[in-house]
Amino acid sequence: MRSQYKLLFKDKSKIKNTENKIDMNTQYPLLLDFTKKVLAKLKEQFPQYDMNGNKNLWIVKPGHASRGRGIMVLQKYNEILKYIKESKGRHWVVQKYIENPLIINKRKFDIRQWVLVTDWNPLTVWIYKQCYIRFAM
């Protein structure tokens, strides 16, 4: 594996064919196999792996507002911290934006479930039996 790594990143002339394309199946089968195994492990550990996308979008919203008021969409951790620190005395909710959401009838949706935490030690959680689905317009 180490020699393949060196080939890929040190001597790029050896990995390009005449059309400037790499055929991983024939030229680097071990690396391809290793990469597939790593991705499979990631997907196994993170069930929402395919939903996350690659833009790293985060929704920052005030904890006291509703109906989309005061929402910001940010990408970088430092931007999020700066935005929150600049507004002292407020509470914020930060959540990962799902870039590839599940769709029903061409509409995004979310599932609302009511939960009440009455104690932290020992952890006591009450879950309302019924939930509801909210569809985007």
Side-chain angles (χ1 to χ4, degrees):
M1 183 62 72
R2 188 174 203 98
S3 63
Q4 287 187 350
Y5 174 84
K6 286 180 182 178
L7 269 179
L8 279 174
F9 296 101
K10 298 288 184 196
D11 188 1
K12 293 182 179 166
S13 65
K14 291 185 179 180
I15 63 171
K16 291 184 179 180
N17 60 21
T18 55
E19 298 172 339
N20 290 330
K21 294 181 182 176
I22 301 171
D23 182 5
M24 294 298 285
N25 289 316
T26 57
Q27 292 176 318
Y28 299 99
L30 291 176
L31 183 61
L32 180 63
D33 186 51
F34 175 74
T35 305
K36 285 180 180 178
K37 286 179 183 177
V38 168
L39 287 173
K41 277 288 187 194
L42 277 172
K43 288 179 181 184
E44 182 181 305
Q45 295 295 317
F46 304 104
Q48 294 183 332
Y49 176 83
D50 291 322
M51 292 179 167
N52 282 336
N54 58 8
K55 294 179 183 163
N56 194 36
L57 298 174
W58 292 84
I59 299 171
V60 181
K61 53 188 175 179
H64 67 280
S66 62
R67 298 187 315 237
R69 292 177 291 181
I71 290 178
M72 293 288 294
V73 178
L74 302 169
Q75 285 184 297
K76 297 179 181 163
Y77 179 70
N78 290 341
E79 289 175 346
I80 296 169
L81 286 180
K82 181 181 175 193
Y83 184 73
I84 291 172
K85 284 180 182 178
E86 286 175 354
S87 56
K88 294 178 181 174
R90 294 179 77 180
H91 292 84
W92 296 91
V93 174
V94 179
Q95 64 190 55
K96 178 76 170 94
Y97 177 76
I98 299 174
E99 295 179 41
N100 302 312
L102 298 174
I103 305 287
I104 295 177
N105 290 331
K106 299 181 183 178
R107 295 184 185 268
K108 292 190 332 183
F109 68 94
D110 60 58
I111 300 172
R112 298 289 172 116
Q113 175 70 56
W114 294 97
V115 176
L116 174 65
V117 177
T118 56
D119 201 349
W120 295 103
N121 192 6
L123 181 61
T124 307
V125 180
W126 301 86
I127 300 175
Y128 190 67
K129 287 183 181 181
Q130 295 179 349
C131 62
Y132 66 94
I133 298 175
R134 190 178 70 154
F135 289 91
M137 296 307 271

